[in-house]
Amino acid sequence: MKNIMTIIRKEMARVFTDKGMLLSLFVLPPLTIILIYGLMGISAENETDKINEYVPTVYIVNSPENILFGENKNVEQFEKLVSASYSEITLKLENDILKIEELTKKVNNEEIDLLIVFNDAFENNIINKTNPEVSMYYNVNNTYSQNTFYKFQTILGAYSDSLLNNRIDNPNLLQVFYTTTIQKGDVEKAQGQMISMILPMLIVIYLMAGAMGVGMESIAGEKERGTIATLLVTPIKRSELAIGKIISISIIGLLSTLASFLGLVGILPTFAKISGETDGAGLSPTYGPMDYIMLLTIMLVAVLLFVTLIVIISAYSKSVKQAGSLVMPVYLLVVGAAMFNMFNQTVDESFVPYTIPIFNIVLSLKAVFSFDLLITNWLITIVTTVIYTLVLIFIIQKMFRSEKIMFNK
Amino acid sequence: MLKVENITKTYRLGKKQMKLENTKDSHKVAASNVSFEVQEREIFGLLGPNGAGKTTTLRCISTLIKPDSGDVFIGPDKISVVNDEDKARGYFSFLTSELKLEDHFTPNYLFNFFGKLYGLDDATIEKNKEKLFNRFGINEFAEVKVSQLSTGMKQKTSIAVSLVHNPQIIIFDEPTNGLDILTARTVTDYLEELRDEGKTIIISTHIMSLASKLCDRIGIIIDGKIRIIGSLKEILEKTNTNDLEEAFFIIYKRVKEEDGGAN
Ligand SMILES: Nc1ncnc2c1ncn2[C@@H]1O[C@H](COP(=O)(O)OP(=O)(O)OP(=O)(O)O)[C@@H](O)[C@H]1O
Ligand SMILES: [Mg+2]
């Protein structure tokens, strides 16, 4: 135990008195985050300004007239509602339904931002309390078109509400009209969603990256330079040396991840801007203490597993260079598991996936962020990961005892 | 006292090494039935050409590698190096050019660090440090990182650090390798001083003059086997020569004739 502490103290001194290491472990990672997302934030901000200044072109087919619901009860022209919502808009009215096809083509060619079509008998349908239909055509590849569409969804919502107020006598028909939206162009993933999905992946990558550098340096590097052999002639047990190294590398890995996180927190408001949310609520939902406990414990066992993997590979390698090329596949595996999970939308409640090494860590992290992690699945993740780690530690101890491995140059 | 009994060590050769050694055999017997005894107040020299098996033998004694067969016993209690390696390590100081000190640390830090690993308390570490640092003039560069030290300074630091626990048995592989005359002299003088304090000392070397001047007894090792053991005087008498170099060549020729150039 005393020997383990001595090793840990030395490893800490090694890192914390080395400006280069401090820089690459604790300064550069958060800095890159701030830089990348900062730039993304700036461009997002410019985008928002441009969108606000943009004057959209909207065609309305069969724009509803003033609808009367008996004395003093009427709903104004739809067109007026639109004009009231915009300071500037190019609004074109069209009553020839034969022109619709031509107009949708114009949406596709980005000549028109939005085409909105009310069915022929819209006003009559409303009065007769049958449900009419409204169709909107916009271009998903065009940000202006997309934003015009979002805005019109709100306008239509308000319009629907005012119609509903006048039709409250028929509670069976709470839906005033059906809206169909037709997207033109390629459907792409919504950016905002991606960014909240990216968080678990970032955590895993930083945990891995933080442990990788020190891990390879501390094992393969010491082997390469012949400094680990100097330790092996002292009475320290090989297991104590192995555990001391594992703990030190884990501490450094966690601290480095924490540093990256501080960078992330610093950039959170910009983050929200990118995801198109004004209050950042999507990124700082109110997590309870249990969520934090789950998050931290998962990170803790994850870093231990990653470190033991890195230590095994580094101990097997003859040089840092070789360790680097051997660690790469593991790194890619981890990133791959994270990516796979990022796009996998269904949250699995079955416990089986939570027993798969590495995969279960990403799965649990994601579930924690979306409040979907069951206590049992959390425990299964923790316990199985600890078991995998213990098996690996056992292997490491064997390796540290093997002269073929420790003196393999 | 140290007793080496029939140590045999075989290395498995990789493909590259087989080519390098120009052999089809995938195994290399680096030490074969090596036996000798070293007493307290004695310097024993393992003398042999490159690749003779000196480092291999010393590594087996110092527990860094395990012999295929044979054992080494320490002191009157006959502590077995093979079966009780953790305990045995406490008795040894092992110094070889393959064992390096971490570049990033200072001699002072390293001395304290290794002292703790040997289980010493701070007062003992300080006491031993004062003695060794003064002896080797390390105080001048005690707070300079190893990476900035000259070869000689590094070697002095390595020696001091390897003696941090004031061990009974001192095993130095090529102790003067790469050192200038002055530094080499400091080292050999100190080894004599340690012998006079009652330590058991083994060194390896291929330098005849060093062996004849420093060692009380010499074992000549060629191709993994000890070919002759005795004091300088005994070896010269047995080979009917008047210097060690002559004796070495006579023995070497005899070995090559016996083996018919094999091995
Ligand atoms: N790890 C190893 N794997 C395979 N063969 C080895 C290994 N270490 C040493 N050998 C071989 O064993 C033989 C003895 O090597 P050793 O290092 O003991 O010789 P030495 O007497 O110390 O030589 P030198 O004077 O060059 O240091 C040599 O042929 C060497 O190539
Ligand atoms: Mg050698």
Side-chain angles (χ1 to χ4, degrees):
Chain A
M1 194 59 218
K2 231 177 86 190
N3 283 339
I4 295 177
M5 281 311 295
T6 308
I7 294 290
I8 294 176
R9 235 177 271 131
K10 187 215 57 168
E11 296 288 327
M12 293 299 138
R14 173 72 189 85
V15 169
F16 285 99
T17 55
D18 188 327
K19 279 189 199 120
M21 277 204 164
L22 286 176
L23 204 70
S24 72
L25 279 169
F26 303 114
V27 181
L28 289 181
L31 218 61
T32 46
I33 292 190
I34 290 172
L35 223 70
I36 291 170
Y37 291 106
L39 284 177
M40 273 171 79
I42 290 169
S43 72
E45 205 163 351
N46 288 342
E47 197 77 341
T48 318
D49 289 348
K50 268 196 228 156
I51 286 168
N52 289 340
E53 286 162 17
Y54 181 73
V55 180
T57 309
V58 177
Y59 269 75
I60 308 178
V61 177
N62 292 331
S63 184
E65 294 295 324
N66 206 345
I67 302 176
L68 290 167
F69 293 86
E71 301 161 47
N72 298 331
K73 278 178 135 187
N74 79 334
V75 173
E76 268 196 310
Q77 269 178 298
F78 179 68
E79 188 197 330
K80 277 194 180 158
L81 196 60
V82 174
S83 302
S85 314
Y86 275 96
S87 54
E88 231 182 312
I89 184 168
T90 314
L91 206 56
K92 300 262 172 68
L93 301 181
E94 180 61 65
N95 287 327
D96 186 355
I97 49 167
L98 294 175
K99 287 251 174 94
I100 293 175
E101 206 186 320
E102 189 193 316
L103 289 172
T104 56
K105 271 187 195 136
K106 285 192 172 175
V107 172
N108 221 359
N109 296 337
E110 308 192 4
E111 287 167 48
I112 297 177
D113 292 302
L114 183 75
L115 169 64
I116 173 163
V117 179
F118 291 84
N119 67 330
D120 255 344
F122 186 85
E123 290 100 330
N124 283 339
N125 286 146
I126 297 290
I127 305 285
N128 301 339
K129 292 164 187 170
T130 49
N131 285 346
E133 254 180 71
V134 182
S135 308
M136 288 201 282
Y137 298 77
Y138 74 99
N139 192 325
V140 268
N141 290 338
N142 184 307
T143 331
Y144 299 121
S145 174
Q146 227 172 8
N147 276 285
T148 315
F149 165 70
Y150 292 144
K151 192 137 182 188
F152 266 78
Q153 270 189 324
T154 324
I155 298 171
L156 267 182
Y159 184 57
S160 157
D161 282 347
S162 57
L163 289 173
L164 196 64
N165 279 340
N166 292 293
R167 261 181 28 171
I168 206 70
D169 48 322
N170 188 347
N172 293 329
L173 283 174
L174 273 177
Q175 179 126 27
V176 186
F177 48 75
Y178 297 112
T179 329
T180 338
T181 58
I182 293 127
Q183 300 175 329
K184 295 287 174 183
D186 291 330
V187 179
E188 53 182 3
K189 280 261 167 200
Q191 210 182 12
Q193 222 182 343
M194 285 240 324
I195 280 167
S196 36
M197 281 192 306
I198 248 169
L199 217 56
M201 189 173 85
L202 282 182
I203 295 179
V204 178
I205 291 176
Y206 282 120
L207 281 176
M208 186 77 191
M212 235 162 71
V214 230
M216 295 190 308
E217 226 356 84
S218 160
I219 309 283
E222 283 218 36
K223 220 177 111 176
E224 189 179 358
R225 292 187 298 269
T227 51
I228 209 161
T230 316
L231 287 175
L232 298 179
V233 295
T234 69
I236 184 174
K237 287 200 180 69
R238 307 284 156 111
S239 54
E240 291 175 321
L241 179 60
I243 290 167
K245 288 267 186 190
I246 291 168
I247 295 176
S248 325
I249 301 164
S250 302
I251 293 173
I252 303 289
L254 278 173
L255 287 179
S256 168
T257 307
L258 206 71
S260 303
F261 251 80
L262 290 181
L264 211 60
V265 168
I267 214 74
L268 213 66
T270 335
F271 228 64
K273 223 175 266 166
I274 308 167
S275 46
E277 291 163 41
T278 44
D279 53 358
L283 278 164
S284 46
T286 41
Y287 292 112
M290 192 57 202
D291 296 311
Y292 282 107
I293 289 172
M294 293 205 279
L295 180 67
L296 287 175
T297 47
I298 295 166
M299 279 171 61
L300 195 70
V301 294
V303 82
L304 283 170
L305 179 68
F306 294 164
V307 165
T308 48
L309 271 173
I310 292 165
V311 168
I312 284 190
I313 294 169
S314 304
Y316 175 79
S317 308
K318 293 183 175 104
S319 63
V320 178
K321 213 173 132 197
Q322 195 191 1
S325 56
L326 290 177
V327 163
M328 229 352 117
V330 176
Y331 182 67
L332 291 178
L333 186 83
V334 170
V335 175
M339 297 260 262
F340 176 80
N341 255 288
M342 193 167 90
F343 294 116
N344 179 20
Q345 290 292 354
T346 51
V347 174
D348 210 327
E349 306 230 314
S350 142
F351 78 92
V352 182
Y354 289 90
T355 60
I356 307 171
I358 299 178
F359 186 78
N360 59 359
I361 290 165
V362 192
L363 206 61
S364 297
L365 280 176
K366 204 182 143 198
V368 166
F369 283 113
S370 58
F371 301 97
D372 287 322
L373 187 57
L374 301 177
I375 297 280
T376 48
N377 287 344
W378 166 61
L379 286 174
I380 288 169
T381 303
I382 300 288
V383 171
T384 52
T385 307
V386 167
I387 291 172
Y388 299 134
T389 307
L390 288 177
V391 171
L392 293 181
I393 290 179
F394 181 75
I395 296 173
I396 292 172
Q397 293 198 28
K398 287 238 143 168
M399 290 175 86
F400 269 52
R401 276 195 207 104
S402 158
E403 64 189 60
K404 278 204 192 64
I405 286 165
M406 297 316 277
F407 297 105
N408 185 359
K409 284 210 231 174
Chain B
M1 189 207 54
L2 185 87
K3 195 167 185 202
V4 181
E5 271 184 19
N6 293 314
I7 280 188
T8 298
K9 178 73 189 179
T10 311
Y11 290 117
R12 203 179 299 228
L13 297 182
K15 286 229 170 68
K16 246 192 226 162
Q17 259 177 312
M18 279 163 71
K19 251 191 191 164
L20 217 72
E21 304 244 338
N22 198 14
T23 170
K24 287 206 175 84
D25 205 345
S26 63
H27 292 266
K28 163 94 194 179
V29 184
S32 171
N33 275 308
V34 173
S35 301
F36 58 86
E37 259 187 65
V38 189
Q39 304 301 325
E40 282 159 30
R41 225 173 276 277
E42 182 176 53
I43 300 180
F44 180 83
L46 209 51
L47 179 69
N50 291 136
K54 303 181 293 292
T55 302
T56 303
T57 305
L58 297 190
R59 278 176 171 183
C60 285
I61 298 171
S62 58
T63 78
L64 210 49
I65 60 177
K66 262 204 165 71
D68 305 335
S69 60
D71 203 344
V72 178
F73 299 101
I74 303 169
D77 301 338
K78 291 204 148 220
I79 297 162
S80 157
V81 156
V82 171
N83 299 321
D84 214 351
E85 52 176 5
D86 285 337
K87 191 170 177 191
R89 284 190 194 115
Y91 289 88
F92 289 132
S93 158
F94 183 44
L95 193 79
T96 152
S97 56
E98 307 160 294
L99 304 185
K100 301 267 165 53
L101 295 175
E102 271 186 81
D103 266 358
H104 180 75
F105 294 112
T106 63
N108 188 33
Y109 183 94
L110 287 166
F111 195 89
N112 293 341
F113 171 66
F114 280 97
K116 289 208 184 82
L117 287 187
Y118 277 102
L120 306 181
D121 57 55
D122 291 348
T124 315
I125 293 176
E126 282 309 316
K127 201 186 83 201
N128 294 352
K129 189 196 292 177
E130 205 190 309
K131 188 178 152 208
L132 287 161
F133 277 26
N134 280 335
R135 185 66 182 70
F136 287 103
I138 294 173
N139 289 315
E140 286 166 47
F141 52 88
E143 295 301 339
V144 180
K145 281 185 186 175
V146 170
S147 57
Q148 291 161 15
L149 299 181
S150 71
T151 312
M153 291 166 166
K154 275 184 194 162
Q155 179 75 347
K156 285 176 184 169
T157 309
S158 286
I159 292 172
V161 166
S162 80
L163 297 173
V164 57
H165 54 306
N166 190 21
Q168 174 52 38
I169 300 162
I170 293 152
I171 306 168
F172 279 8
D173 189 14
E174 317 262 7
T176 59
N177 222 9
L179 302 182
D180 65 26
I181 289 184
L182 293 174
T183 321
R185 192 54 177 266
T186 324
V187 174
T188 51
D189 283 356
Y190 192 62
L191 283 172
E192 283 174 339
E193 219 175 289
L194 286 170
R195 170 190 52 200
D196 298 340
E197 278 175 24
K199 308 283 191 196
T200 304
I201 299 168
I202 309 174
I203 66 155
S204 85
T205 184
H206 57 267
I207 306 167
M208 306 292 157
S209 56
L210 180 70
S212 49
K213 248 189 255 160
L214 184 65
C215 301
D216 300 302
R217 281 189 319 125
I218 296 165
I220 293 183
I221 183 169
I222 298 169
D223 289 340
K225 288 189 187 128
I226 298 246
R227 308 294 174 163
I228 193 168
I229 289 186
S231 65
L232 178 63
K233 201 170 147 230
E234 285 163 355
I235 290 177
L236 295 183
E237 270 168 16
K238 272 186 202 162
T239 53
N240 217 351
T241 50
N242 47 23
D243 83 35
L244 191 57
E245 200 170 315
E246 278 306 306
F248 174 79
F249 277 117
I250 284 174
I251 293 162
Y252 189 79
K253 230 185 251 166
R254 201 186 292 155
V255 168
K256 288 297 157 183
E257 275 161 16
E258 275 169 23
D259 295 355
N263 246 348

PDB file of all heavy atoms in Angstrom, chain B residues 11-26:
ATOM      1  N   TYR B  11      17.704 -18.177 -23.925  1.00  0.00           N
ATOM      2  CA  TYR B  11      16.810 -17.192 -24.541  1.00  0.00           C
ATOM      3  C   TYR B  11      16.198 -17.795 -25.783  1.00  0.00           C
ATOM      4  O   TYR B  11      16.850 -18.552 -26.501  1.00  0.00           O
ATOM      5  CB  TYR B  11      17.575 -15.935 -24.966  1.00  0.00           C
ATOM      6  CG  TYR B  11      18.068 -15.073 -23.838  1.00  0.00           C
ATOM      7  CD1 TYR B  11      19.434 -14.865 -23.639  1.00  0.00           C
ATOM      8  CD2 TYR B  11      17.165 -14.448 -22.982  1.00  0.00           C
ATOM      9  CE1 TYR B  11      19.894 -14.054 -22.620  1.00  0.00           C
ATOM     10  CE2 TYR B  11      17.632 -13.631 -21.957  1.00  0.00           C
ATOM     11  CZ  TYR B  11      18.987 -13.441 -21.778  1.00  0.00           C
ATOM     12  OH  TYR B  11      19.438 -12.627 -20.784  1.00  0.00           O
ATOM     13  N   ARG B  12      14.967 -17.447 -26.022  1.00  0.00           N
ATOM     14  CA  ARG B  12      14.358 -17.819 -27.298  1.00  0.00           C
ATOM     15  C   ARG B  12      14.679 -16.692 -28.291  1.00  0.00           C
ATOM     16  O   ARG B  12      14.479 -15.527 -27.974  1.00  0.00           O
ATOM     17  CB  ARG B  12      12.843 -17.925 -27.114  1.00  0.00           C
ATOM     18  CG  ARG B  12      12.181 -18.811 -28.148  1.00  0.00           C
ATOM     19  CD  ARG B  12      10.715 -18.868 -27.874  1.00  0.00           C
ATOM     20  NE  ARG B  12      10.473 -19.444 -26.547  1.00  0.00           N
ATOM     21  CZ  ARG B  12       9.585 -20.402 -26.334  1.00  0.00           C
ATOM     22  NH1 ARG B  12       8.884 -20.872 -27.314  1.00  0.00           N
ATOM     23  NH2 ARG B  12       9.391 -20.879 -25.123  1.00  0.00           N
ATOM     24  N   LEU B  13      15.181 -17.051 -29.427  1.00  0.00           N
ATOM     25  CA  LEU B  13      15.571 -16.017 -30.387  1.00  0.00           C
ATOM     26  C   LEU B  13      14.448 -15.734 -31.377  1.00  0.00           C
ATOM     27  O   LEU B  13      13.781 -16.652 -31.851  1.00  0.00           O
ATOM     28  CB  LEU B  13      16.821 -16.454 -31.155  1.00  0.00           C
ATOM     29  CG  LEU B  13      18.088 -16.663 -30.331  1.00  0.00           C
ATOM     30  CD1 LEU B  13      19.244 -17.032 -31.232  1.00  0.00           C
ATOM     31  CD2 LEU B  13      18.436 -15.430 -29.515  1.00  0.00           C
ATOM     32  N   GLY B  14      14.279 -14.463 -31.675  1.00  0.00           N
ATOM     33  CA  GLY B  14      13.343 -14.089 -32.735  1.00  0.00           C
ATOM     34  C   GLY B  14      13.996 -14.335 -34.083  1.00  0.00           C
ATOM     35  O   GLY B  14      15.194 -14.620 -34.147  1.00  0.00           O
ATOM     36  N   LYS B  15      13.210 -14.200 -35.140  1.00  0.00           N
ATOM     37  CA  LYS B  15      13.749 -14.454 -36.496  1.00  0.00           C
ATOM     38  C   LYS B  15      14.908 -13.521 -36.812  1.00  0.00           C
ATOM     39  O   LYS B  15      15.928 -13.922 -37.356  1.00  0.00           O
ATOM     40  CB  LYS B  15      12.630 -14.247 -37.535  1.00  0.00           C
ATOM     41  CG  LYS B  15      11.620 -15.376 -37.533  1.00  0.00           C
ATOM     42  CD  LYS B  15      11.383 -15.875 -38.964  1.00  0.00           C
ATOM     43  CE  LYS B  15      10.563 -17.146 -38.981  1.00  0.00           C
ATOM     44  NZ  LYS B  15       9.155 -16.929 -38.548  1.00  0.00           N
ATOM     45  N   LYS B  16      14.715 -12.245 -36.433  1.00  0.00           N
ATOM     46  CA  LYS B  16      15.743 -11.235 -36.709  1.00  0.00           C
ATOM     47  C   LYS B  16      17.044 -11.598 -36.008  1.00  0.00           C
ATOM     48  O   LYS B  16      18.117 -11.540 -36.605  1.00  0.00           O
ATOM     49  CB  LYS B  16      15.258  -9.873 -36.184  1.00  0.00           C
ATOM     50  CG  LYS B  16      14.998  -8.855 -37.301  1.00  0.00           C
ATOM     51  CD  LYS B  16      14.824  -7.486 -36.698  1.00  0.00           C
ATOM     52  CE  LYS B  16      13.626  -6.774 -37.285  1.00  0.00           C
ATOM     53  NZ  LYS B  16      13.170  -5.652 -36.463  1.00  0.00           N
ATOM     54  N   GLN B  17      16.897 -11.987 -34.724  1.00  0.00           N
ATOM     55  CA  GLN B  17      18.076 -12.302 -33.921  1.00  0.00           C
ATOM     56  C   GLN B  17      18.810 -13.520 -34.468  1.00  0.00           C
ATOM     57  O   GLN B  17      20.031 -13.579 -34.435  1.00  0.00           O
ATOM     58  CB  GLN B  17      17.649 -12.573 -32.481  1.00  0.00           C
ATOM     59  CG  GLN B  17      17.898 -11.387 -31.567  1.00  0.00           C
ATOM     60  CD  GLN B  17      17.385 -11.678 -30.183  1.00  0.00           C
ATOM     61  OE1 GLN B  17      16.251 -12.146 -30.025  1.00  0.00           O
ATOM     62  NE2 GLN B  17      18.191 -11.432 -29.189  1.00  0.00           N
ATOM     63  N   MET B  18      18.023 -14.513 -34.985  1.00  0.00           N
ATOM     64  CA  MET B  18      18.633 -15.720 -35.537  1.00  0.00           C
ATOM     65  C   MET B  18      19.544 -15.349 -36.707  1.00  0.00           C
ATOM     66  O   MET B  18      20.624 -15.889 -36.868  1.00  0.00           O
ATOM     67  CB  MET B  18      17.551 -16.704 -35.996  1.00  0.00           C
ATOM     68  CG  MET B  18      16.978 -17.523 -34.850  1.00  0.00           C
ATOM     69  SD  MET B  18      15.418 -18.302 -35.244  1.00  0.00           S
ATOM     70  CE  MET B  18      15.918 -19.550 -36.387  1.00  0.00           C
ATOM     71  N   LYS B  19      19.071 -14.412 -37.507  1.00  0.00           N
ATOM     72  CA  LYS B  19      19.872 -13.956 -38.641  1.00  0.00           C
ATOM     73  C   LYS B  19      21.127 -13.250 -38.146  1.00  0.00           C
ATOM     74  O   LYS B  19      22.233 -13.506 -38.605  1.00  0.00           O
ATOM     75  CB  LYS B  19      19.044 -12.981 -39.492  1.00  0.00           C
ATOM     76  CG  LYS B  19      18.636 -13.576 -40.838  1.00  0.00           C
ATOM     77  CD  LYS B  19      18.073 -12.486 -41.718  1.00  0.00           C
ATOM     78  CE  LYS B  19      17.428 -13.077 -42.948  1.00  0.00           C
ATOM     79  NZ  LYS B  19      16.560 -12.127 -43.613  1.00  0.00           N
ATOM     80  N   LEU B  20      20.894 -12.373 -37.170  1.00  0.00           N
ATOM     81  CA  LEU B  20      21.972 -11.562 -36.619  1.00  0.00           C
ATOM     82  C   LEU B  20      23.080 -12.433 -36.030  1.00  0.00           C
ATOM     83  O   LEU B  20      24.265 -12.150 -36.187  1.00  0.00           O
ATOM     84  CB  LEU B  20      21.386 -10.645 -35.530  1.00  0.00           C
ATOM     85  CG  LEU B  20      21.961  -9.249 -35.426  1.00  0.00           C
ATOM     86  CD1 LEU B  20      21.498  -8.400 -36.591  1.00  0.00           C
ATOM     87  CD2 LEU B  20      21.507  -8.596 -34.112  1.00  0.00           C
ATOM     88  N   GLU B  21      22.666 -13.502 -35.344  1.00  0.00           N
ATOM     89  CA  GLU B  21      23.638 -14.387 -34.700  1.00  0.00           C
ATOM     90  C   GLU B  21      24.125 -15.462 -35.674  1.00  0.00           C
ATOM     91  O   GLU B  21      24.918 -16.315 -35.298  1.00  0.00           O
ATOM     92  CB  GLU B  21      22.993 -15.046 -33.473  1.00  0.00           C
ATOM     93  CG  GLU B  21      22.449 -14.029 -32.481  1.00  0.00           C
ATOM     94  CD  GLU B  21      23.172 -14.083 -31.153  1.00  0.00           C
ATOM     95  OE1 GLU B  21      23.771 -15.116 -30.841  1.00  0.00           O
ATOM     96  OE2 GLU B  21      23.144 -13.071 -30.444  1.00  0.00           O
ATOM     97  N   ASN B  22      23.544 -15.432 -36.875  1.00  0.00           N
ATOM     98  CA  ASN B  22      23.939 -16.393 -37.913  1.00  0.00           C
ATOM     99  C   ASN B  22      23.770 -17.841 -37.439  1.00  0.00           C
ATOM    100  O   ASN B  22      24.682 -18.652 -37.512  1.00  0.00           O
ATOM    101  CB  ASN B  22      25.395 -16.125 -38.335  1.00  0.00           C
ATOM    102  CG  ASN B  22      25.697 -16.781 -39.669  1.00  0.00           C
ATOM    103  OD1 ASN B  22      24.771 -17.200 -40.367  1.00  0.00           O
ATOM    104  ND2 ASN B  22      26.965 -16.870 -40.001  1.00  0.00           N
ATOM    105  N   THR B  23      22.578 -18.158 -36.938  1.00  0.00           N
ATOM    106  CA  THR B  23      22.320 -19.498 -36.448  1.00  0.00           C
ATOM    107  C   THR B  23      20.936 -19.955 -36.871  1.00  0.00           C
ATOM    108  O   THR B  23      20.039 -19.143 -37.084  1.00  0.00           O
ATOM    109  CB  THR B  23      22.441 -19.561 -34.911  1.00  0.00           C
ATOM    110  OG1 THR B  23      21.965 -20.822 -34.479  1.00  0.00           O
ATOM    111  CG2 THR B  23      21.625 -18.470 -34.245  1.00  0.00           C
ATOM    112  N   LYS B  24      20.740 -21.261 -36.991  1.00  0.00           N
ATOM    113  CA  LYS B  24      19.420 -21.803 -37.321  1.00  0.00           C
ATOM    114  C   LYS B  24      18.710 -22.230 -36.057  1.00  0.00           C
ATOM    115  O   LYS B  24      17.544 -22.601 -36.074  1.00  0.00           O
ATOM    116  CB  LYS B  24      19.572 -22.998 -38.281  1.00  0.00           C
ATOM    117  CG  LYS B  24      19.947 -22.557 -39.692  1.00  0.00           C
ATOM    118  CD  LYS B  24      19.474 -23.603 -40.709  1.00  0.00           C
ATOM    119  CE  LYS B  24      19.716 -23.141 -42.126  1.00  0.00           C
ATOM    120  NZ  LYS B  24      21.103 -23.438 -42.572  1.00  0.00           N
ATOM    121  N   ASP B  25      19.458 -22.235 -34.945  1.00  0.00           N
ATOM    122  CA  ASP B  25      18.875 -22.645 -33.673  1.00  0.00           C
ATOM    123  C   ASP B  25      18.003 -21.517 -33.115  1.00  0.00           C
ATOM    124  O   ASP B  25      18.432 -20.367 -33.076  1.00  0.00           O
ATOM    125  CB  ASP B  25      20.018 -22.955 -32.695  1.00  0.00           C
ATOM    126  CG  ASP B  25      19.568 -23.934 -31.636  1.00  0.00           C
ATOM    127  OD1 ASP B  25      18.336 -24.119 -31.502  1.00  0.00           O
ATOM    128  OD2 ASP B  25      20.438 -24.509 -30.955  1.00  0.00           O
ATOM    129  N   SER B  26      16.786 -21.848 -32.719  1.00  0.00           N
ATOM    130  CA  SER B  26      15.903 -20.805 -32.215  1.00  0.00           C
ATOM    131  C   SER B  26      16.138 -20.541 -30.721  1.00  0.00           C
ATOM    132  O   SER B  26      15.495 -19.689 -30.127  1.00  0.00           O
ATOM    133  CB  SER B  26      14.444 -21.187 -32.457  1.00  0.00           C
ATOM    134  OG  SER B  26      14.142 -22.343 -31.732  1.00  0.00           O
TER     135      SER B  26
END
